[in-house]
Amino acid sequence: MTTSDIANLDKQNYMNTFGERIPVSFSKGEGIHLYSDSGEVYTDFLAGIAVNAVGHSHPAFVKAICEQAQNLLHVSNYYYMKQQALLAEKIVSLSAADKVFFANSGAEANEGAIKLAKIYHYKKGNSQKYEIITLKNSFHGRTLATVAATGQEKFSAPYHPLTPGFLYVPANDLTAFEAAVSDKTCAVMLEMIQGESGVHPLDLDYVKSVYEICKEKDILFICDEVQTGMGRTGKLFAYEHYGIEPDIFTLAKALGGGVPIGAVCAKDFAASAFAPGDHGSTFGGNPLACAAALSVFDIFEKENLVENSRIVGEYFVEQLKALAENVPCIKEIRGKGLMIGIEFTEPIAGDMKHRLFERHYLTGATATTLRILPPLIVTKNDVDQFMKILKEIL
Ligand code: PMP
């Protein structure tokens, strides 16, 4: 099948939720590289939007999935599911959470977090505490509750009436946050670095103050770590940069390294609100997804990927900041670890993304910000090569 055969088949049969796709189809991935059907090599500086943290088709990861698939793909509801128990233990041992629940995507993990926050207050006899504060320009998913949680009209406009109870405040504005808090406030849900809106980190003081208010008023503090989690920002979880421990946080994307899995992770006092029958998932936490995620953690440890993300990320940002001094159309370099945004003074990020693609680099773009999210195995040498191409294009 040629790429245009695939495009035609796709146009005829697949719902067009994406728009015009770049005419290339990939059939193989290896490390930070992708190979097109026609055998051309591309460098992946997007990692499936922060998914392929361990790189494409990492041999140990592939082996773990194959071995699991040979033994058992799926079983639901039985108690002794080794992979699920081991993965929950792993996340608990490395994070602020005491308990974990597995879902199948980021949106589904956020749905679980929202339900957990609501049921926590409900079981305390306070069902009037149902409002959830999120941020303008946030992104929390595409399901009905998460699209309502998402503070961007462009995602929610066609789906009114939205799930009620969400309030949106501007990021890093403590006065606006305080004004939104009331006796009805159930939870606050934040991305420590807003990803989809163009890599916007929250201020340290802002997060600390919001956290203190939450503690004071029995408001659950939820971090959406779907994009920032799993080493992306140079720490295993982005909340670690802020010196706080969220009551609930969610994971997905890189957790499964390409196999769909999400997680709702919570402190015991919140997690215990879920009793048997209150929530569930057929596929959530199946042996294949959990074996994949366990292998991701294993590779992270063996290859020091969180540390690599921090070191190579710092180097990357240094190089970009030095470049920005001589390029007037670059407005700002933002990011932590390997979650990096280059904001331009004009809406040219889409054009930059296309030009980089012509030079065989995959990146992402909002109108004004080029998003760079390479696999966490990337080296300083890979960064140097990218910088050379970026300079030529600029
Ligand atoms: N939360 C954040 C912060 C995200 O970036 C995304 C995906 N871009 C989601 C939630 C939704 O994840 P999924 O697409 O797996 O549902």
Side-chain angles (χ1 to χ4, degrees):
M1 264 175 119
T2 65
T3 303
S4 82
D5 290 339
I6 298 170
N8 285 335
L9 205 60
D10 186 84
K11 274 204 183 92
Q12 279 166 29
N13 300 292
Y14 197 75
M15 292 191 203
N16 186 4
T17 59
F18 192 83
E20 210 52 41
R21 292 179 196 257
I22 292 177
V24 64
S25 74
F26 295 112
S27 44
K28 189 176 161 51
E30 195 173 26
I32 64 166
H33 295 118
L34 286 165
Y35 297 83
S36 73
D37 285 351
S38 50
E40 290 183 295
V41 190
Y42 289 78
T43 305
D44 188 0
F45 269 32
L46 188 59
I49 318 186
V51 170
N52 308 96
V54 300
H56 293 279
S57 297
H58 190 293
F61 180 69
V62 173
K63 186 165 175 270
I65 297 173
C66 290
E67 279 176 7
Q68 187 56 50
Q70 268 162 354
N71 288 326
L72 179 66
L73 271 183
H74 178 79
V75 61
S76 207
N77 289 9
Y78 283 86
Y79 194 59
Y80 296 106
M81 219 194 283
K82 184 171 80 178
Q83 297 76 15
Q84 193 180 94
L86 289 172
L87 180 60
E89 181 200 36
K90 179 58 91 181
I91 295 173
V92 165
S93 73
L94 295 172
S95 77
D98 300 312
K99 293 270 160 54
V100 178
F101 174 85
F102 294 118
N104 305 288
S105 66
E108 200 190 320
N110 285 339
E111 289 270 343
I114 292 165
K115 283 177 77 177
L116 184 56
K118 290 194 185 227
I119 203 170
Y120 164 77
H121 292 297
Y122 172 85
K123 290 211 168 158
K124 285 174 92 177
N126 204 345
S127 53
Q128 283 311 301
K129 231 167 140 57
Y130 62 83
E131 279 183 356
I132 299 184
I133 301 176
T134 69
L135 298 183
K136 289 191 173 152
N137 295 321
S138 58
F139 186 89
H140 298 294
R142 302 281 199 160
T143 57
L144 281 171
T146 59
V147 94
T150 292
Q152 299 188 63
E153 264 288 300
K154 69 173 177 187
F155 294 112
S156 59
Y159 304 114
H160 284 253
L162 297 178
T163 305
F166 289 96
L167 263 63
Y168 319 99
V169 295
N172 294 324
D173 181 342
L174 192 60
T175 315
F177 177 76
E178 282 173 326
V181 169
S182 74
D183 291 346
K184 290 186 189 159
T185 313
C186 160
V188 51
M189 183 149 99
L190 306 172
E191 294 161 90
M192 296 289 102
I193 302 178
Q194 291 185 333
E196 294 305 298
S197 70
V199 192
H200 293 280
L202 293 184
D203 294 342
L204 184 69
D205 290 349
Y206 175 75
V207 171
K208 281 187 183 292
S209 303
V210 167
Y211 186 73
E212 271 164 32
I213 294 168
C214 288
K215 290 286 117 189
E216 224 172 83
K217 305 203 171 197
D218 197 20
I219 297 168
L220 293 177
F221 190 97
I222 307 172
C223 287
D224 178 343
E225 293 262 7
V226 167
Q227 188 161 150
T228 53
M230 301 302 291
R232 175 55 53 192
T233 69
K235 301 239 185 227
L236 190 55
F237 307 110
Y239 66 74
E240 295 171 28
H241 292 289
Y242 294 84
I244 53 131
E245 294 204 339
D247 303 317
I248 304 173
F249 67 94
T250 53
L251 298 173
K253 290 192 185 268
L255 175 62
V259 174
I261 182 168
V264 185
C265 314
K267 293 271 186 207
D268 241 337
F269 80 95
S272 57
F274 272 158
D278 286 334
H279 190 52
S281 166
T282 298
F283 288 121
N286 69 73
L288 183 73
C290 291
L294 277 168
S295 165
V296 166
F297 274 111
D298 200 40
I299 295 166
F300 265 57
E301 277 159 30
K302 287 197 175 116
E303 300 185 11
N304 265 324
L305 292 190
V306 180
E307 187 70 351
N308 192 61
S309 171
R310 186 180 64 75
I311 293 169
V312 178
E314 270 170 20
Y315 177 74
F316 208 153
V317 168
E318 263 171 37
Q319 303 297 306
L320 287 168
K321 285 193 169 162
L323 174 70
E325 281 176 20
N326 303 312
V327 181
C329 71
I330 297 181
K331 189 174 163 194
E332 193 179 31
I333 305 296
R334 287 189 296 271
K336 276 199 167 82
L338 288 166
M339 183 169 182
I340 298 170
I342 306 174
E343 182 165 355
F344 297 98
T345 51
E346 287 173 57
I348 57 164
D351 193 31
M352 285 300 297
K353 182 180 97 170
H354 276 95
R355 289 188 191 212
L356 279 160
F357 192 82
E358 282 165 12
R359 306 293 301 270
H360 288 204
Y361 275 93
L362 275 69
T363 55
T366 65
T368 53
T369 301
L370 189 74
R371 291 169 63 199
I372 302 172
L373 303 155
L376 306 186
I377 55 170
V378 78
T379 64
K380 286 184 182 175
N381 188 28
D382 300 324
V383 171
D384 290 342
Q385 286 180 35
F386 173 84
M387 288 303 300
K388 192 168 157 277
I389 305 282
L390 182 69
K391 273 180 207 164
E392 282 173 24
I393 295 171
L394 282 166

PDB file of all heavy atoms in Angstrom, residues 366-391:
ATOM      1  N   THR A 366       1.542  24.758  18.733  1.00  0.00           N
ATOM      2  CA  THR A 366       0.314  25.549  18.865  1.00  0.00           C
ATOM      3  C   THR A 366       0.510  26.679  17.849  1.00  0.00           C
ATOM      4  O   THR A 366       1.459  26.626  17.061  1.00  0.00           O
ATOM      5  CB  THR A 366       0.174  26.139  20.280  1.00  0.00           C
ATOM      6  OG1 THR A 366       1.244  27.078  20.482  1.00  0.00           O
ATOM      7  CG2 THR A 366       0.251  25.063  21.357  1.00  0.00           C
ATOM      8  N   ALA A 367      -0.314  27.717  17.893  1.00  0.00           N
ATOM      9  CA  ALA A 367      -0.146  28.790  16.903  1.00  0.00           C
ATOM     10  C   ALA A 367       1.239  29.436  17.023  1.00  0.00           C
ATOM     11  O   ALA A 367       1.952  29.590  16.036  1.00  0.00           O
ATOM     12  CB  ALA A 367      -1.235  29.835  17.082  1.00  0.00           C
ATOM     13  N   THR A 368       1.625  29.768  18.236  1.00  0.00           N
ATOM     14  CA  THR A 368       2.881  30.528  18.392  1.00  0.00           C
ATOM     15  C   THR A 368       4.013  29.717  19.025  1.00  0.00           C
ATOM     16  O   THR A 368       5.140  30.202  19.083  1.00  0.00           O
ATOM     17  CB  THR A 368       2.650  31.784  19.273  1.00  0.00           C
ATOM     18  OG1 THR A 368       2.037  31.364  20.480  1.00  0.00           O
ATOM     19  CG2 THR A 368       1.791  32.820  18.564  1.00  0.00           C
ATOM     20  N   THR A 369       3.713  28.518  19.532  1.00  0.00           N
ATOM     21  CA  THR A 369       4.760  27.781  20.258  1.00  0.00           C
ATOM     22  C   THR A 369       5.074  26.437  19.612  1.00  0.00           C
ATOM     23  O   THR A 369       4.174  25.626  19.379  1.00  0.00           O
ATOM     24  CB  THR A 369       4.331  27.576  21.732  1.00  0.00           C
ATOM     25  OG1 THR A 369       4.113  28.858  22.322  1.00  0.00           O
ATOM     26  CG2 THR A 369       5.411  26.856  22.528  1.00  0.00           C
ATOM     27  N   LEU A 370       6.345  26.238  19.356  1.00  0.00           N
ATOM     28  CA  LEU A 370       6.818  24.937  18.879  1.00  0.00           C
ATOM     29  C   LEU A 370       7.059  24.072  20.107  1.00  0.00           C
ATOM     30  O   LEU A 370       7.746  24.495  21.044  1.00  0.00           O
ATOM     31  CB  LEU A 370       8.120  25.119  18.085  1.00  0.00           C
ATOM     32  CG  LEU A 370       8.613  23.884  17.358  1.00  0.00           C
ATOM     33  CD1 LEU A 370       7.746  23.600  16.124  1.00  0.00           C
ATOM     34  CD2 LEU A 370      10.068  24.065  16.925  1.00  0.00           C
ATOM     35  N   ARG A 371       6.473  22.877  20.101  1.00  0.00           N
ATOM     36  CA  ARG A 371       6.591  21.984  21.276  1.00  0.00           C
ATOM     37  C   ARG A 371       7.587  20.877  20.984  1.00  0.00           C
ATOM     38  O   ARG A 371       7.487  20.198  19.975  1.00  0.00           O
ATOM     39  CB  ARG A 371       5.223  21.383  21.618  1.00  0.00           C
ATOM     40  CG  ARG A 371       4.254  22.406  22.160  1.00  0.00           C
ATOM     41  CD  ARG A 371       2.862  21.835  22.233  1.00  0.00           C
ATOM     42  NE  ARG A 371       2.765  20.705  23.138  1.00  0.00           N
ATOM     43  CZ  ARG A 371       1.772  19.826  23.108  1.00  0.00           C
ATOM     44  NH1 ARG A 371       0.816  19.910  22.212  1.00  0.00           N
ATOM     45  NH2 ARG A 371       1.741  18.852  23.979  1.00  0.00           N
ATOM     46  N   ILE A 372       8.514  20.698  21.918  1.00  0.00           N
ATOM     47  CA  ILE A 372       9.544  19.676  21.745  1.00  0.00           C
ATOM     48  C   ILE A 372       9.480  18.708  22.923  1.00  0.00           C
ATOM     49  O   ILE A 372       9.642  19.107  24.079  1.00  0.00           O
ATOM     50  CB  ILE A 372      10.939  20.341  21.660  1.00  0.00           C
ATOM     51  CG1 ILE A 372      10.946  21.337  20.494  1.00  0.00           C
ATOM     52  CG2 ILE A 372      12.028  19.298  21.480  1.00  0.00           C
ATOM     53  CD1 ILE A 372      12.185  22.182  20.425  1.00  0.00           C
ATOM     54  N   LEU A 373       9.208  17.451  22.608  1.00  0.00           N
ATOM     55  CA  LEU A 373       9.023  16.416  23.638  1.00  0.00           C
ATOM     56  C   LEU A 373       9.715  15.130  23.181  1.00  0.00           C
ATOM     57  O   LEU A 373       9.048  14.134  22.868  1.00  0.00           O
ATOM     58  CB  LEU A 373       7.520  16.143  23.834  1.00  0.00           C
ATOM     59  CG  LEU A 373       6.599  17.308  24.201  1.00  0.00           C
ATOM     60  CD1 LEU A 373       5.166  17.045  23.776  1.00  0.00           C
ATOM     61  CD2 LEU A 373       6.649  17.561  25.693  1.00  0.00           C
ATOM     62  N   PRO A 374      11.037  15.112  23.107  1.00  0.00           N
ATOM     63  CA  PRO A 374      11.703  13.912  22.582  1.00  0.00           C
ATOM     64  C   PRO A 374      11.621  12.738  23.552  1.00  0.00           C
ATOM     65  O   PRO A 374      11.356  12.932  24.746  1.00  0.00           O
ATOM     66  CB  PRO A 374      13.155  14.356  22.414  1.00  0.00           C
ATOM     67  CG  PRO A 374      13.325  15.500  23.336  1.00  0.00           C
ATOM     68  CD  PRO A 374      11.986  16.139  23.526  1.00  0.00           C
ATOM     69  N   PRO A 375      11.880  11.519  23.067  1.00  0.00           N
ATOM     70  CA  PRO A 375      12.011  10.400  24.004  1.00  0.00           C
ATOM     71  C   PRO A 375      13.085  10.739  25.042  1.00  0.00           C
ATOM     72  O   PRO A 375      14.042  11.467  24.728  1.00  0.00           O
ATOM     73  CB  PRO A 375      12.469   9.242  23.113  1.00  0.00           C
ATOM     74  CG  PRO A 375      11.993   9.603  21.733  1.00  0.00           C
ATOM     75  CD  PRO A 375      12.078  11.099  21.663  1.00  0.00           C
ATOM     76  N   LEU A 376      12.961  10.210  26.252  1.00  0.00           N
ATOM     77  CA  LEU A 376      13.886  10.602  27.331  1.00  0.00           C
ATOM     78  C   LEU A 376      15.273   9.971  27.178  1.00  0.00           C
ATOM     79  O   LEU A 376      16.155  10.217  27.988  1.00  0.00           O
ATOM     80  CB  LEU A 376      13.289  10.258  28.704  1.00  0.00           C
ATOM     81  CG  LEU A 376      11.889  10.821  28.994  1.00  0.00           C
ATOM     82  CD1 LEU A 376      11.484  10.543  30.432  1.00  0.00           C
ATOM     83  CD2 LEU A 376      11.776  12.302  28.700  1.00  0.00           C
ATOM     84  N   ILE A 377      15.453   9.171  26.132  1.00  0.00           N
ATOM     85  CA  ILE A 377      16.762   8.550  25.871  1.00  0.00           C
ATOM     86  C   ILE A 377      17.645   9.451  24.997  1.00  0.00           C
ATOM     87  O   ILE A 377      18.773   9.101  24.676  1.00  0.00           O
ATOM     88  CB  ILE A 377      16.605   7.186  25.150  1.00  0.00           C
ATOM     89  CG1 ILE A 377      15.784   7.371  23.863  1.00  0.00           C
ATOM     90  CG2 ILE A 377      15.955   6.151  26.068  1.00  0.00           C
ATOM     91  CD1 ILE A 377      15.781   6.153  22.952  1.00  0.00           C
ATOM     92  N   VAL A 378      17.130  10.610  24.634  1.00  0.00           N
ATOM     93  CA  VAL A 378      17.838  11.500  23.718  1.00  0.00           C
ATOM     94  C   VAL A 378      19.170  11.955  24.344  1.00  0.00           C
ATOM     95  O   VAL A 378      19.274  12.068  25.565  1.00  0.00           O
ATOM     96  CB  VAL A 378      16.886  12.695  23.374  1.00  0.00           C
ATOM     97  CG1 VAL A 378      16.845  13.715  24.489  1.00  0.00           C
ATOM     98  CG2 VAL A 378      17.208  13.325  22.061  1.00  0.00           C
ATOM     99  N   THR A 379      20.186  12.191  23.500  1.00  0.00           N
ATOM    100  CA  THR A 379      21.509  12.579  24.007  1.00  0.00           C
ATOM    101  C   THR A 379      21.826  14.036  23.626  1.00  0.00           C
ATOM    102  O   THR A 379      21.154  14.617  22.767  1.00  0.00           O
ATOM    103  CB  THR A 379      22.613  11.692  23.398  1.00  0.00           C
ATOM    104  OG1 THR A 379      22.633  11.931  21.967  1.00  0.00           O
ATOM    105  CG2 THR A 379      22.363  10.210  23.659  1.00  0.00           C
ATOM    106  N   LYS A 380      22.897  14.575  24.251  1.00  0.00           N
ATOM    107  CA  LYS A 380      23.324  15.938  23.901  1.00  0.00           C
ATOM    108  C   LYS A 380      23.698  16.014  22.424  1.00  0.00           C
ATOM    109  O   LYS A 380      23.452  17.020  21.766  1.00  0.00           O
ATOM    110  CB  LYS A 380      24.514  16.352  24.774  1.00  0.00           C
ATOM    111  CG  LYS A 380      24.117  16.663  26.213  1.00  0.00           C
ATOM    112  CD  LYS A 380      25.299  17.162  27.008  1.00  0.00           C
ATOM    113  CE  LYS A 380      24.880  17.407  28.450  1.00  0.00           C
ATOM    114  NZ  LYS A 380      25.991  17.785  29.310  1.00  0.00           N
ATOM    115  N   ASN A 381      24.275  14.946  21.926  1.00  0.00           N
ATOM    116  CA  ASN A 381      24.638  14.901  20.509  1.00  0.00           C
ATOM    117  C   ASN A 381      23.388  15.009  19.608  1.00  0.00           C
ATOM    118  O   ASN A 381      23.398  15.717  18.606  1.00  0.00           O
ATOM    119  CB  ASN A 381      25.401  13.580  20.266  1.00  0.00           C
ATOM    120  CG  ASN A 381      25.992  13.532  18.881  1.00  0.00           C
ATOM    121  OD1 ASN A 381      26.313  14.576  18.296  1.00  0.00           O
ATOM    122  ND2 ASN A 381      26.095  12.338  18.329  1.00  0.00           N
ATOM    123  N   ASP A 382      22.304  14.327  20.006  1.00  0.00           N
ATOM    124  CA  ASP A 382      21.044  14.427  19.244  1.00  0.00           C
ATOM    125  C   ASP A 382      20.533  15.868  19.271  1.00  0.00           C
ATOM    126  O   ASP A 382      20.002  16.372  18.279  1.00  0.00           O
ATOM    127  CB  ASP A 382      19.959  13.511  19.838  1.00  0.00           C
ATOM    128  CG  ASP A 382      20.360  12.041  19.824  1.00  0.00           C
ATOM    129  OD1 ASP A 382      21.024  11.622  18.867  1.00  0.00           O
ATOM    130  OD2 ASP A 382      20.007  11.316  20.789  1.00  0.00           O
ATOM    131  N   VAL A 383      20.688  16.517  20.437  1.00  0.00           N
ATOM    132  CA  VAL A 383      20.243  17.909  20.577  1.00  0.00           C
ATOM    133  C   VAL A 383      21.071  18.799  19.641  1.00  0.00           C
ATOM    134  O   VAL A 383      20.526  19.665  18.949  1.00  0.00           O
ATOM    135  CB  VAL A 383      20.385  18.384  22.046  1.00  0.00           C
ATOM    136  CG1 VAL A 383      20.128  19.881  22.166  1.00  0.00           C
ATOM    137  CG2 VAL A 383      19.429  17.609  22.947  1.00  0.00           C
ATOM    138  N   ASP A 384      22.390  18.576  19.601  1.00  0.00           N
ATOM    139  CA  ASP A 384      23.268  19.377  18.730  1.00  0.00           C
ATOM    140  C   ASP A 384      22.827  19.278  17.274  1.00  0.00           C
ATOM    141  O   ASP A 384      22.789  20.277  16.556  1.00  0.00           O
ATOM    142  CB  ASP A 384      24.727  18.902  18.846  1.00  0.00           C
ATOM    143  CG  ASP A 384      25.330  19.240  20.201  1.00  0.00           C
ATOM    144  OD1 ASP A 384      24.763  20.108  20.903  1.00  0.00           O
ATOM    145  OD2 ASP A 384      26.351  18.624  20.564  1.00  0.00           O
ATOM    146  N   GLN A 385      22.482  18.058  16.861  1.00  0.00           N
ATOM    147  CA  GLN A 385      22.060  17.874  15.466  1.00  0.00           C
ATOM    148  C   GLN A 385      20.763  18.621  15.178  1.00  0.00           C
ATOM    149  O   GLN A 385      20.603  19.242  14.131  1.00  0.00           O
ATOM    150  CB  GLN A 385      21.880  16.388  15.167  1.00  0.00           C
ATOM    151  CG  GLN A 385      23.219  15.680  15.051  1.00  0.00           C
ATOM    152  CD  GLN A 385      23.043  14.198  14.754  1.00  0.00           C
ATOM    153  OE1 GLN A 385      22.140  13.798  14.049  1.00  0.00           O
ATOM    154  NE2 GLN A 385      23.923  13.399  15.319  1.00  0.00           N
ATOM    155  N   PHE A 386      19.842  18.569  16.143  1.00  0.00           N
ATOM    156  CA  PHE A 386      18.574  19.284  15.984  1.00  0.00           C
ATOM    157  C   PHE A 386      18.832  20.793  15.911  1.00  0.00           C
ATOM    158  O   PHE A 386      18.256  21.495  15.078  1.00  0.00           O
ATOM    159  CB  PHE A 386      17.637  18.949  17.154  1.00  0.00           C
ATOM    160  CG  PHE A 386      16.365  19.758  17.164  1.00  0.00           C
ATOM    161  CD1 PHE A 386      15.275  19.371  16.393  1.00  0.00           C
ATOM    162  CD2 PHE A 386      16.249  20.903  17.941  1.00  0.00           C
ATOM    163  CE1 PHE A 386      14.099  20.119  16.392  1.00  0.00           C
ATOM    164  CE2 PHE A 386      15.078  21.654  17.948  1.00  0.00           C
ATOM    165  CZ  PHE A 386      14.003  21.259  17.171  1.00  0.00           C
ATOM    166  N   MET A 387      19.700  21.292  16.791  1.00  0.00           N
ATOM    167  CA  MET A 387      19.988  22.732  16.846  1.00  0.00           C
ATOM    168  C   MET A 387      20.547  23.223  15.505  1.00  0.00           C
ATOM    169  O   MET A 387      20.222  24.322  15.062  1.00  0.00           O
ATOM    170  CB  MET A 387      20.992  23.043  17.972  1.00  0.00           C
ATOM    171  CG  MET A 387      20.439  22.918  19.381  1.00  0.00           C
ATOM    172  SD  MET A 387      18.992  23.942  19.740  1.00  0.00           S
ATOM    173  CE  MET A 387      19.632  25.576  19.466  1.00  0.00           C
ATOM    174  N   LYS A 388      21.356  22.402  14.893  1.00  0.00           N
ATOM    175  CA  LYS A 388      21.965  22.771  13.604  1.00  0.00           C
ATOM    176  C   LYS A 388      20.865  22.990  12.552  1.00  0.00           C
ATOM    177  O   LYS A 388      20.847  23.994  11.850  1.00  0.00           O
ATOM    178  CB  LYS A 388      22.917  21.638  13.184  1.00  0.00           C
ATOM    179  CG  LYS A 388      23.826  21.964  12.055  1.00  0.00           C
ATOM    180  CD  LYS A 388      24.912  20.889  11.935  1.00  0.00           C
ATOM    181  CE  LYS A 388      25.484  20.875  10.531  1.00  0.00           C
ATOM    182  NZ  LYS A 388      24.710  20.126   9.561  1.00  0.00           N
ATOM    183  N   ILE A 389      19.929  22.052  12.509  1.00  0.00           N
ATOM    184  CA  ILE A 389      18.828  22.134  11.537  1.00  0.00           C
ATOM    185  C   ILE A 389      17.922  23.314  11.876  1.00  0.00           C
ATOM    186  O   ILE A 389      17.508  24.067  10.991  1.00  0.00           O
ATOM    187  CB  ILE A 389      17.993  20.816  11.556  1.00  0.00           C
ATOM    188  CG1 ILE A 389      18.877  19.585  11.320  1.00  0.00           C
ATOM    189  CG2 ILE A 389      16.819  20.874  10.583  1.00  0.00           C
ATOM    190  CD1 ILE A 389      19.290  19.324   9.909  1.00  0.00           C
ATOM    191  N   LEU A 390      17.609  23.473  13.164  1.00  0.00           N
ATOM    192  CA  LEU A 390      16.728  24.569  13.588  1.00  0.00           C
ATOM    193  C   LEU A 390      17.332  25.922  13.179  1.00  0.00           C
ATOM    194  O   LEU A 390      16.625  26.786  12.648  1.00  0.00           O
ATOM    195  CB  LEU A 390      16.519  24.505  15.108  1.00  0.00           C
ATOM    196  CG  LEU A 390      15.573  25.557  15.686  1.00  0.00           C
ATOM    197  CD1 LEU A 390      14.136  25.303  15.244  1.00  0.00           C
ATOM    198  CD2 LEU A 390      15.643  25.580  17.223  1.00  0.00           C
ATOM    199  N   LYS A 391      18.639  26.084  13.406  1.00  0.00           N
ATOM    200  CA  LYS A 391      19.317  27.339  13.034  1.00  0.00           C
ATOM    201  C   LYS A 391      19.206  27.575  11.551  1.00  0.00           C
ATOM    202  O   LYS A 391      18.899  28.689  11.116  1.00  0.00           O
ATOM    203  CB  LYS A 391      20.815  27.255  13.412  1.00  0.00           C
ATOM    204  CG  LYS A 391      21.086  27.674  14.847  1.00  0.00           C
ATOM    205  CD  LYS A 391      22.570  27.585  15.160  1.00  0.00           C
ATOM    206  CE  LYS A 391      22.738  27.350  16.643  1.00  0.00           C
ATOM    207  NZ  LYS A 391      24.046  26.884  17.030  1.00  0.00           N
TER     208      LYS A 391
END
